[in-house]
Amino acid sequence: MSSTSGSNGIVQNPGHFDIGTNADQATVDVNNRVKQAEARLPEEVRRQGVTVVKGSSAFLQVLAFYSPDGRYDNLAISNYVTLNVLDQLKRVPGTTTCRSSAPRTTPCASGCAPIA
């Protein structure tokens, strides 16, 4: 198991399960383990809450955004996608993760992962 944390205070601890594992049962098991650990977490963390999300690392779709006439650079396109597109994609039923990976030398690409 590995974990990542950002300057925004979000920590991610992805859990991986063998192929064929019942995803619903695994979610229940993870939630039970989180409940056991919550008492040992700092008060601020408990107040903010712990979220468990069931998902898949497989890409369902990749979208490319670009400016046909070259009027907008990659940074402007990336900002547009972040502000106007990602939240809408996250609201699509069955979507667990949407993210933008916008290298500054190529058009912005966004990917959505389906629920496992």
Side-chain angles (χ1 to χ4, degrees):
M1 182 177 278
S2 65
S3 67
T4 59
S5 62
S7 60
N8 58 0
I10 295 176
V11 176
Q12 295 181 342
N13 292 314
H16 302 276
F17 299 92
D18 292 331
I19 293 174
T21 300
N22 181 313
D24 293 327
Q25 184 60 49
T27 301
V28 170
D29 293 343
V30 169
N31 277 318
N32 289 339
R33 296 295 296 266
V34 167
K35 290 294 180 200
Q36 291 174 354
E38 275 184 339
R40 295 188 303 248
L41 295 173
E43 177 61 32
E44 180 63 26
V45 174
R46 288 191 305 242
R47 199 174 315 123
Q48 291 289 325
V50 176
T51 304
V52 175
V53 178
K54 176 174 59 171
S56 169
S57 61
F59 280 102
L60 174 64
Q61 186 172 36
V62 175
L63 306 171
F65 296 87
Y66 66 98
S67 178
D69 60 5
R71 184 170 35 165
Y72 301 105
D73 64 6
N74 290 329
L75 181 59
I77 295 168
S78 175
N79 287 339
Y80 177 84
V81 169
T82 299
L83 296 172
N84 299 292
V85 178
L86 288 180
D87 284 339
Q88 296 298 319
L89 289 174
K90 290 175 184 177
R91 292 185 179 115
V92 174
T95 302
T96 59
T97 306
C98 287
R99 64 180 177 268
S100 175
S101 55
R104 300 299 174 233
T105 58
T106 60
C108 175
S110 297
C112 294
I115 291 178

